[in-house]
Amino acid sequence: MRLNIKLWFATLATCAIGMTSAHASDIYPSRPIRLIVPYPPGGLADTFSRSLAKNIGDKLKQPVIIENKPGANQVIGVESALRAPADGYTLFLGSMTSLATNIGVYRQLPYDPIRDFSPVSSLFSSPLILTVRADLPAYNVEDLVTLARKNPGKTTYASLGDGGSLHLASELFSQAADIKLLRVPYKGSAQAINDVMGGNITMIFDAGSTVIPQVEGKRLRALAVTGDKPIPALPGIPSMKQAGYPSVDISVWWGLVVRSGTPKPIVDTLNKAVKATLASPEFAQPFVGYGLTIESSSPEQFGNFMREESKRWPTFMAKIGIQAQQ
């Protein structure tokens, strides 16, 4: 009889937990959500995140509040996201850096992107644009290569952290053109772009939404776009392949993740809101002109992509001589 009573109470407790979990998922979200963006305000990721937050907040009937947590190659933002409960009220803007290349940057990375995060959806990807300050006597890629060869080790480029896409693009270019470039790291694009425009830095590879307004304002000069295709917003500007450097083929990607252990119904709710937002022409229109590819996915699809990238880029980084740090 005692065994039956214990079994009855155990069954009741299990049912109660299941009902509580299901009920919590049914009413999600019931309070504001925060979206941690591991970049300072003003760059492409921040701009996209603010538009995304407004739109998914409208769909979920709760405000989505941006929290900028830049620094340490996005590790500061990651650790902030992982300190939060796995309840869907803290989202993280993951990227190629935080979810893939950091594995090759640090020997002892304080998190595992595959183990510690649950994928929600892919968001967008972007080619990078090679730009220089407007008064630099370099009007195409070959001019820049010639300038760098005349000043070995004095031609500088801005990057956002070790092993990030801006770093990798510049190192790919350095190797492809057989030139020596001096790296200057920054926490965010805004300060880096200002220093390029001000003449403190020679060049930068960065996303279109960051550099194109400066190119249009004649404060920067665009020389090429990474990959094999030009973009509509920069007519007459060749791809790196067209410029003779096909190996400089890199784009940066972003996606939305939450802490591992977040209930699947909550992940699915977030995924539905993201898909509806990204499918809207009104949402996409301000970004596509800059060469961005905006595309959602299922959580499973983005999870598979994360796993592939987390293997691909650390291997690639080792091949081009980027050594993991302590």
Side-chain angles (χ1 to χ4, degrees):
M1 181 67 178
R2 289 179 180 175
L3 290 176
N4 289 338
I5 291 174
K6 288 181 179 179
L7 180 61
W8 182 79
F9 273 112
T11 303
L12 182 63
T14 301
C15 291
I17 291 171
M19 291 173 65
T20 301
S21 176
H23 182 62
S25 299
D26 288 344
I27 63 173
Y28 173 86
S30 59
R31 53 187 170 86
I33 299 167
R34 63 176 181 150
L35 171 55
I36 295 177
V37 176
Y39 302 87
L44 168 65
D46 179 71
T47 302
F48 187 95
S49 296
R50 291 179 187 278
S51 182
L52 178 72
K54 171 66 170 62
N55 280 269
I56 65 174
D58 289 346
K59 289 172 174 58
L60 295 174
K61 309 300 183 186
Q62 289 289 344
V64 178
I65 301 165
I66 297 292
E67 289 190 13
N68 296 97
K69 300 279 187 179
N73 240 34
Q74 304 184 21
V75 173
I76 290 173
V78 169
E79 292 183 325
S80 179
L82 293 179
R83 283 194 294 267
D87 56 7
Y89 286 96
T90 299
L91 317 179
F92 181 71
L93 181 75
S95 72
M96 174 180 162
T97 297
S98 58
L99 301 180
T101 61
N102 270 355
I103 297 171
V105 170
Y106 300 102
R107 289 197 185 107
Q108 296 181 333
L109 188 65
Y111 67 95
D112 183 318
I114 305 304
R115 179 195 65 210
D116 295 334
F117 283 114
S118 289
V120 174
S121 175
S122 61
L123 294 174
F124 67 105
S125 62
S126 172
L128 300 175
I129 300 167
L130 171 58
T131 59
V132 298
R133 69 177 190 267
D135 63 346
L136 191 76
Y139 300 92
N140 53 50
V141 176
E142 282 308 313
D143 285 348
L144 181 60
V145 170
T146 300
L147 184 68
R149 286 177 178 161
K150 288 180 179 178
N151 302 279
K154 295 182 180 180
T155 301
T156 53
Y157 71 88
S159 79
L160 308 185
D162 294 333
S165 57
L166 279 62
H167 183 191
L168 294 179
S170 300
E171 289 301 317
L172 280 171
F173 178 47
S174 174
Q175 292 199 4
D178 192 23
I179 54 177
K180 292 183 179 180
L181 301 174
L182 179 62
R183 174 174 170 254
V184 182
Y186 288 84
K187 288 185 177 181
S189 289
Q191 183 184 357
I193 293 296
N194 283 336
D195 276 2
V196 177
M197 291 189 298
N200 297 318
I201 301 295
T202 309
M203 54 171 273
I204 187 172
F205 281 93
D206 209 341
S209 64
T210 305
V211 300
I212 287 176
Q214 311 303 334
V215 172
E216 292 174 340
K218 301 189 184 305
R219 292 177 289 271
L220 288 175
R221 180 183 299 123
L223 302 184
V225 180
T226 58
D228 59 358
K229 297 178 181 178
I231 60 174
L234 292 173
I237 302 302
S239 68
M240 289 299 293
K241 181 178 180 180
Q242 291 171 328
Y245 298 95
S247 63
V248 188
D249 184 7
I250 183 172
S251 62
V252 61
W253 53 264
W254 288 263
L256 193 67
V257 296
V258 291
R259 262 196 61 186
S260 291
T262 301
K264 188 175 185 304
I266 290 177
V267 172
D268 290 341
T269 296
L270 289 167
N271 178 265
K272 183 178 179 181
V274 169
K275 280 189 170 182
T277 295
L278 268 57
S280 165
E282 291 77 15
F283 174 85
Q285 193 277 329
F287 301 105
V288 294
Y290 296 122
L292 271 61
T293 299
I294 298 176
E295 188 174 19
S296 63
S297 69
S298 69
E300 293 76 20
Q301 289 169 329
F302 188 45
N304 290 336
F305 178 75
M306 285 170 53
R307 282 186 286 274
E308 291 170 0
E309 292 285 281
S310 69
K311 295 176 182 176
R312 173 191 177 196
W313 286 111
T315 301
F316 173 76
M317 290 162 65
K319 286 182 179 179
I320 65 171
I322 297 177
Q323 297 183 355
Q325 304 173 9
Q326 293 290 349

